[in-house]
Amino acid sequence: MIASDIRSCPPTDPRPMPRWLLLALLLILALILMLPVLALLGSWLQLDEAARDVLHQMAQTVLPDYLQTTVWLCLSVALGVGLVGMLTASAVTLFDFPGRRVFEWALLLPLAMPAYVVAYAYTDFLQFSGPLQVGLRETFGLQGRVFPEIRNTAGAVWVFTFTLYPYVYLLARTALTERASQLMEAARLLGAPLLRRIREVALPLARPAVAAGMALALMETLADFGVASYFGIQTFTAGIYKAWLAMDNRSAAAQLATMLLALVTLLLWLEHRAQRRMRFASLRGQRAGSDEAQPARLKGARAGLAWLVCALPVLFGFVLPVLFMLRPLIGGWDELPWNMFLQWSRNSLWLAGLSAVLATALALLLAFSVRMRPGPVTRGVTQLTSLGYAVPGAVIVVGILLPVGWVQAVRPETSVGYWVTATALGIVWAYLVRFTAVALQSVQSGYSRVPVSLDDSARMLGTTGLGLALRVHGPLLRRSAMAAALLVFVDVMKELPATLVLRPFNSDTLAVVTYQLARDERLGEAALPALTLVLVGLLPVILLSRTLRQR
């Protein structure tokens, strides 16, 4: 069918785009997307005496607290997501028990929950004036606080653990399914008991996947602003906003953003190293055999324990937060600001839709360039663009506003500040820097399933350049492009740090008003936009669940 479509197409211009022009366009695109990071690095070259004094004062005052809190938070979250993700992945992959098929997709549901929404939900239910403590005091006649305060570092660890463990669960489940099943069966045939097979075969093979998932979860933890700000935790991200917005100190914000970027770079290196080890383990596992081993059947107390291991993360990470938010929503239904909600939804949909279309278009352009001109420059530009998702929103904000300040200092009469901060240009730019990598990963996955021989056949029939992209690649990449646009759309809807600063005037989004209402302790009004974000977040979870079932 594709060959007949190609044959019926009129021949296009056989002369491809000049190589120098393509490389120039790619380099300009890379410069635009990497300018925030380059601006941060360039800020260290402009350190004057005043900036050095600020940096010295930070090192003596706030910087030790930021570093200590961030490191402690990361270590605790890494331990939590690693333990929960590995236990759940092992349970649904290595064992068979009642409800296993349901838990395979239900364990992904916390991915739909923004961490700051979970923080608001638990705070509203567990605080001193919340329904739990009020009910316990009235029922048992207790005095004072019954439940410990959740708005602290321990509470943040709880929130991040049960919202980010799906990163570890997903990668560990894939590793155990694709690599450990044959070797587990071989060990069983050699007489190894179940616990030994798990300890010496399954866990070592899944270790790189667990490390990669933990690195991804920690990147999300470092990028978070909503939970840290609402719980009053002194992390680098909260410090960046405090330095820029409260203290009006650009130098301090730039230095903190650079330090945060260095931590993220370290995590990104660890994640890439773990991914390389996963590929090696995959090749080694595929040689072990071709028949998939059957999971061990559990009965009685063991089946109940496995069911409990899988049920508790879903309960703490999705079910309870949704129920906690439904309570104030139903109780204040008549007082909800429906007119404002429609305006917030329009703003969110418009920004998310525009960013999704632009990010998908850029991803298609980059992937097509690598496909047509596979060289060090095109691959390097693509890899640089792929790093954007690891850059926290707070870092992107500082990296965008720094050059704006430099331009206005040199040319006060210029209107660049207006275009970046008072229109959608700045916020869409930040979205593209952060989420083009999401679209690029999906599009490249689609290109990997398109054989190169199809391009050669199209060229022989006179279809090259843009015609090849539109008539041959386009139909084959339609599903991948739609998935890319959906993922970017949902990520933009939930994005908070960059949106909070760079959104246009009178253009509050659902994420921003959820944060603002919760910060003002108006959790009943915040429940409506918060639950709307959860419903939107379910879309990629459904898509991911269908993809896993088709494997």
Side-chain angles (χ1 to χ4, degrees):
M1 180 178 178
I2 296 176
S4 61
D5 292 341
I6 297 173
R7 195 177 296 111
S8 62
C9 295
T12 58
D13 186 0
R15 293 173 298 176
M17 178 184 296
R19 183 178 179 85
W20 66 268
L21 180 58
L22 176 62
L23 296 180
L25 290 175
L26 291 178
L27 290 176
I28 293 174
L29 176 61
L31 179 62
I32 293 175
L33 295 180
M34 296 304 296
L35 182 60
V37 176
L38 296 176
L40 280 179
L41 298 179
S43 66
W44 287 87
L45 302 177
Q46 296 186 334
L47 284 179
D48 52 14
E49 191 64 30
R52 292 190 182 92
D53 291 340
V54 170
L55 194 60
H56 180 69
Q57 293 175 3
M58 288 170 52
Q60 293 181 333
T61 55
V62 298
L63 192 57
D65 291 337
Y66 291 156
L67 184 59
Q68 180 180 355
T69 304
T70 301
V71 171
W72 168 248
L73 181 65
C74 287
L75 290 177
S76 302
V77 171
L79 179 62
V81 298
L83 183 62
V84 175
M86 188 59 197
L87 286 177
T88 52
S90 301
V92 300
T93 305
L94 304 179
F95 304 106
D96 188 14
F97 54 93
R100 169 175 167 261
R101 294 294 182 183
V102 175
F103 284 125
E104 284 183 348
W105 61 265
L107 285 164
L108 296 172
L109 289 176
L111 281 176
M113 299 291 298
Y116 52 87
V117 171
V118 178
Y120 306 154
Y122 274 109
T123 300
D124 178 54
F125 190 78
L126 299 177
Q127 62 185 346
F128 182 79
S129 58
L132 177 63
Q133 297 205 53
V134 171
L136 290 175
R137 288 196 298 268
E138 293 178 352
T139 303
F140 300 101
L142 302 176
Q143 300 295 326
R145 176 175 293 277
V146 181
F147 197 87
E149 176 64 48
I150 191 175
R151 295 175 66 169
N152 49 37
T153 305
V157 171
W158 175 275
V159 170
F160 286 130
T161 296
F162 289 106
T163 54
L164 300 179
Y165 80 85
Y167 286 108
V168 177
Y169 162 75
L170 188 60
L171 294 178
R173 176 187 165 187
T174 303
L176 292 174
T177 302
E178 296 180 352
R179 306 175 184 101
S181 57
Q182 299 91 356
L183 295 182
M184 286 280 287
E185 179 67 11
R188 186 187 68 83
L189 295 176
L190 292 174
L194 179 60
L195 291 179
R196 184 178 179 185
R197 296 200 302 267
I198 295 175
R199 184 179 66 254
E200 299 184 7
V201 177
L203 295 183
L205 286 177
R207 192 178 301 138
V210 173
M214 290 168 59
L216 293 174
L218 291 183
M219 280 189 245
E220 292 291 336
T221 302
L222 289 176
D224 170 80
F225 171 72
V227 177
S229 175
Y230 187 64
F231 281 6
I233 303 174
Q234 300 299 315
T235 62
F236 273 104
T237 303
I240 290 170
Y241 280 88
K242 184 183 297 184
W244 189 283
L245 300 179
M247 301 170 57
D248 194 23
N249 194 321
R250 295 183 178 181
S251 298
Q255 311 318 318
L256 289 174
T258 309
M259 297 174 190
L260 179 58
L261 184 62
L263 291 176
V264 172
T265 303
L266 175 61
L267 289 175
L268 190 64
W269 175 77
L270 293 175
E271 192 267 342
H272 284 174
R273 182 180 178 185
Q275 291 285 359
R276 287 197 300 268
R277 294 180 62 190
M278 286 170 59
R279 287 193 291 269
F280 172 74
S282 176
L283 293 175
R284 182 176 59 185
Q286 288 173 1
R287 295 192 201 91
S290 57
D291 297 330
E292 183 178 356
Q294 296 298 321
R297 181 71 178 177
L298 297 180
K299 297 180 181 180
R302 291 186 176 182
L305 180 60
W307 191 92
L308 195 63
V309 165
C310 295
L312 289 180
V314 180
L315 181 68
F316 293 142
F318 183 81
V319 177
L320 288 181
V322 170
L323 294 178
F324 293 161
M325 297 301 289
L326 283 175
R327 184 192 62 83
L329 178 65
I330 297 174
W333 185 266
D334 296 334
E335 301 177 359
L336 292 176
W338 289 105
N339 292 333
M340 296 301 297
F341 173 74
L342 294 178
Q343 180 180 347
W344 301 332
S345 300
R346 283 197 301 268
N347 295 335
S348 298
L349 292 173
W350 179 73
L351 288 174
L354 177 62
S355 302
V357 171
L358 293 178
T360 305
L362 291 178
L364 288 170
L365 173 62
L366 290 170
F368 180 73
S369 301
V370 174
R371 176 87 168 196
M372 295 295 100
R373 301 284 188 180
V377 176
T378 54
R379 294 185 183 277
V381 170
T382 304
Q383 291 176 355
L384 286 176
T385 306
S386 301
L387 300 179
Y389 188 70
V391 181
V395 174
I396 295 175
V397 167
V398 177
I400 288 178
L401 294 181
L402 272 180
V404 171
W406 296 339
V407 172
Q408 289 184 327
V410 177
R411 300 279 303 273
E413 71 280 1
T414 186
S415 59
V416 63
Y418 166 81
W419 288 106
V420 172
T421 59
T423 68
L425 177 62
I427 185 60
V428 172
W429 184 7
Y431 289 153
L432 293 180
V433 173
R434 180 137 165 73
F435 299 125
T436 298
V438 177
L440 182 60
Q441 184 176 12
S442 179
V443 172
Q444 285 182 324
S445 177
Y447 258 118
S448 65
R449 296 189 293 269
V450 179
V452 180
S453 59
L454 198 61
D455 298 357
D456 299 333
S457 301
R459 293 190 188 96
M460 293 176 62
L461 295 172
T463 302
T464 60
L466 186 60
L468 179 62
L470 296 178
R471 296 186 176 96
V472 180
H473 296 167
L476 298 174
L477 295 175
R478 185 178 294 116
R479 293 184 62 182
S480 297
M482 292 178 61
L486 174 63
L487 293 174
V488 174
F489 180 87
V490 174
D491 281 340
V492 171
M493 289 282 290
K494 298 189 296 183
E495 207 283 334
L496 178 61
T499 311
L500 192 63
V501 178
L502 295 175
R503 70 191 187 281
F505 296 127
N506 297 322
S507 297
D508 287 337
T509 64
L510 292 173
V512 170
V513 297
T514 300
Y515 166 77
Q516 291 176 336
L517 292 173
R519 182 190 59 187
D520 296 338
E521 300 299 332
R522 297 159 63 186
L523 292 173
E525 299 176 51
L528 180 61
L531 288 175
T532 304
L533 292 176
V534 174
L535 289 177
V536 173
L538 286 174
L539 297 177
V541 174
I542 295 172
L543 176 64
L544 184 58
S545 299
R546 293 182 58 185
T547 302
L548 291 176
R549 285 199 302 267
Q550 292 172 359
R551 288 187 174 183

